[in-house]
Amino acid sequence: MKSIGVYPGSFDPITKGHVDIIKRSAKLVDKLVIGVLNNANKKCWFTPEERKELIEKTIADVDNIEVKLFDGLLVDFMQQNNANLIIRGLRSVSDYEYELQLALGNKTLADFDLETIFIPASKDYLYLSSSIVREVASHGGCLEKFLNAEIIKDVEARAKDK
Ligand code: PNS
């Protein structure tokens, strides 16, 4: 039986920290689905389709990955994809409190075999988040250390529109 994992998130935009988690978790499963939250209530810089495209541009070299949009509950998306492993990156103790809530909430909701695994962020990316990237971009700062080269121009262009 194939192991299918889902790495869900907002990815507004995908950072080098996300890429690190994606590359490491893709080695743990046969197929990794990156689930991009399509949430109309959340104000994002990029539309769900744009966030999906930025991810695809960034991780074009990893072959057991598929990027999909989802809305509604993550457990439903897991079931639609025959996936039973949720992957989340962990940076700090404050992340952990929220992540534990999500993991236990999802486990409680699921009427199928479901686990969440946490992958510790690499030390170079412990501080990094999409919101830090948006802040640096909105002040015209250098994005090289935060984003893969393929998407820097897209993020700089969006920052100028803001
Ligand atoms: O990158 P983020 O914003 O931290 O990702 C959060 C995400 C998408 C994993 C979370 O908000 C989510 O799974 N949303 C879908 C709705 C849902 O299932 N919530 C959890 C209920 S226990």
Side-chain angles (χ1 to χ4, degrees), residues 29-142:
V29 289
D30 295 313
K31 181 176 160 192
L32 181 68
V33 177
I34 302 178
V36 181
L37 185 66
N38 182 358
N39 184 351
N41 302 328
K42 200 170 166 182
K43 276 248 170 268
C44 287
W45 268 28
F46 295 92
T47 66
E49 291 75 15
E50 287 171 336
R51 285 181 269 140
K52 177 173 182 273
E53 276 170 30
L54 293 177
I55 296 171
E56 284 166 344
K57 266 194 199 182
T58 302
I59 46 103
D61 59 329
V62 192
D63 55 14
N64 61 333
I65 288 180
E66 199 176 342
V67 189
K68 293 184 178 180
L69 303 182
F70 80 100
D71 47 29
L73 288 175
L74 178 58
V75 284
D76 294 334
F77 182 66
M78 299 296 295
Q79 205 157 29
Q80 286 153 17
N81 284 280
N82 293 318
N84 57 8
L85 197 62
I86 299 171
I87 292 158
R88 294 285 286 170
L90 261 194
R91 291 165 303 190
S92 58
V93 174
S94 55
D95 272 358
Y96 180 73
E97 288 176 13
Y98 171 61
E99 294 301 333
L100 189 63
Q101 271 189 319
L102 274 187
L104 295 178
N106 284 323
K107 181 91 178 157
T108 306
L109 282 171
D111 55 6
F112 56 95
D113 188 25
L114 177 76
E115 292 298 343
T116 296
I117 60 166
F118 299 131
I119 301 203
S122 295
K123 63 182 182 339
D124 287 349
Y125 305 124
L126 278 173
Y127 66 94
L128 186 55
S129 66
S130 297
S131 56
I132 288 278
V133 168
R134 294 194 302 273
E135 183 160 343
V136 172
S138 64
H139 294 292
C142 176

Side-chain angles (χ1 to χ4, degrees), residues 14-26:
I14 182 170
T15 69
K16 283 191 175 181
H18 294 127
V19 175
D20 175 55
I21 301 291
I22 290 169
K23 290 197 167 165
R24 288 161 62 203
S25 51

